[in-house]
């Protein structure tokens, strides 16, 4: 039995931190897992910048409320979900993801959670499990699923390489160059065709 595991940001919705970097006028916050493979290091660095500027969850959520899925993402996801089971596995946080999940038609999402003080300051974060994307794919495989995975960043490579098929979608030139064996796609049409072929 097949299950498709998709990354969220960069694949179905714009990168939240890039949008917030623009909205807040703090360009350093545009750094993502495409640039920094160590997620803990990246998040701790982000939290330091938020504290320095006195920004909290409310300000980020105000930006997220204005973000729409990437053009064609919901239609792609709807068609894919009509063919097979789909789980979105993301390193984002429940406090960020909810409005985006509503706009995507409430797909299943596995993600993490933020620690937030009463005044709205983000004081920390709790990862669901270590190396969450690969760990989740391995757990699904252990209960009888064959996984097909796709993403765009360094932290997606483990789950992409672990399954029966894996793809890069709208990834960086550097990641594509470093992993020439992983098929890479730029449009939802090609991407869906590749997944359909892997499902056969």
């Amino acid at each position: 039995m097949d299950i498709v595991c998709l990354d969220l940001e960069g694949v179905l919705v714009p990168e939240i931190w890039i949008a917030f970097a623009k909205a807040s006028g703090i360009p350093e916050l545009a750094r993502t897992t495409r640039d920094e493979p160590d997620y803990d290091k990246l998040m701790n660095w982000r939290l330091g910048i938020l504290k320095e500027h006195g920004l909290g969850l409310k300000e980020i959520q105000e930006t997220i409320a204005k973000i729409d899925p990437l053009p064609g993402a919901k239609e792609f996801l709807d068609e894919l979900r009509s063919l097979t089971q789909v789980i979105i596995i993301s390193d984002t946080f429940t406090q960020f993801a909810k409005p985006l999940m509503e706009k995507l038609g409430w797909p299943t999402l596995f993600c993490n959670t933020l620690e937030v003080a009463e005044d709205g300051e983000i004081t920390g974060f709790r990862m669901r499990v270590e190396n969450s994307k690969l760990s989740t794919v391995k757990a699904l495989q252990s209960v009888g699923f064959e996984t097909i995975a796709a993403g765009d960043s360094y932290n997606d490579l483990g789950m992409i390489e672990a399954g029966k098929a894996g793809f890069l979608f709208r990834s960086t030139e550097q990641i594509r160059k470093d992993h020439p064996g992983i098929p890479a796609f730029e449009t939802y049409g090609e991407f869906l065709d590749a997944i359909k072929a892997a499902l056969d």
Side-chain angles (χ1 to χ4, degrees):
M1 190 172 181
D2 293 313
I3 192 161
V4 175
C5 303
L6 296 176
D7 177 35
L8 177 64
E9 293 178 66
V11 175
L12 298 170
V13 302
E15 293 278 353
I16 291 167
W17 287 98
I18 290 176
F20 186 62
K22 286 178 186 161
S24 63
I26 306 169
E28 304 97 289
L29 285 173
R31 193 168 173 78
T32 71
T33 49
R34 290 173 163 206
D35 312 298
E36 173 54 70
D38 185 330
Y39 192 75
D40 279 7
K41 183 177 169 186
L42 178 64
M43 269 309 296
N44 284 312
W45 180 77
R46 285 167 170 166
L47 296 187
I49 292 174
L50 292 178
K51 190 175 178 68
E52 190 186 311
H53 290 269
L55 297 168
L57 180 60
K58 178 175 160 283
E59 289 81 6
I60 299 174
Q61 286 179 328
E62 283 170 358
T63 296
I64 292 168
K66 298 172 191 159
I67 295 175
D68 286 320
L70 293 167
K74 185 176 186 301
E75 294 77 8
F76 159 79
L77 192 58
D78 287 347
E79 186 167 350
L80 185 57
R81 289 165 74 194
S82 76
L83 301 172
T84 189
Q85 297 296 308
V86 180
I87 295 178
I88 297 170
I89 308 174
S90 174
D91 279 338
T92 194
F93 304 95
T94 51
Q95 295 93 332
F96 289 179
K98 194 173 176 184
L100 298 168
M101 292 304 100
E102 184 176 5
K103 289 175 182 178
L104 285 169
W106 299 111
T108 301
L109 171 71
F110 290 179
C111 67
N112 306 301
T113 190
L114 292 167
E115 294 167 350
V116 185
E118 281 186 22
D119 65 358
E121 181 190 345
I122 301 170
T123 55
F125 57 97
R126 286 201 307 276
M127 303 301 278
R128 188 170 44 80
V129 66
E130 193 178 338
N131 202 353
S132 63
K133 296 185 180 190
L134 178 59
S135 298
T136 302
V137 159
K138 285 185 170 173
L140 290 166
Q141 291 167 348
S142 77
V143 292
F145 286 102
E146 288 201 81
T147 60
I148 296 166
D152 68 327
S153 295
Y154 285 105
N155 63 336
D156 300 313
L157 293 169
M159 72 170 182
I160 288 170
E161 292 171 336
K164 79 167 190 179
F167 309 104
L168 289 168
F169 185 69
R170 295 184 182 168
S171 190
T172 65
E173 192 178 334
Q174 189 60 54
I175 294 173
R176 290 197 305 269
K177 193 171 144 190
D178 290 346
H179 298 273
I182 303 175
F185 301 101
E186 294 294 317
T187 70
Y188 288 117
E190 293 175 314
F191 187 27
L192 188 63
D193 287 345
I195 296 172
K196 283 178 181 173
L199 288 169
D200 287 344

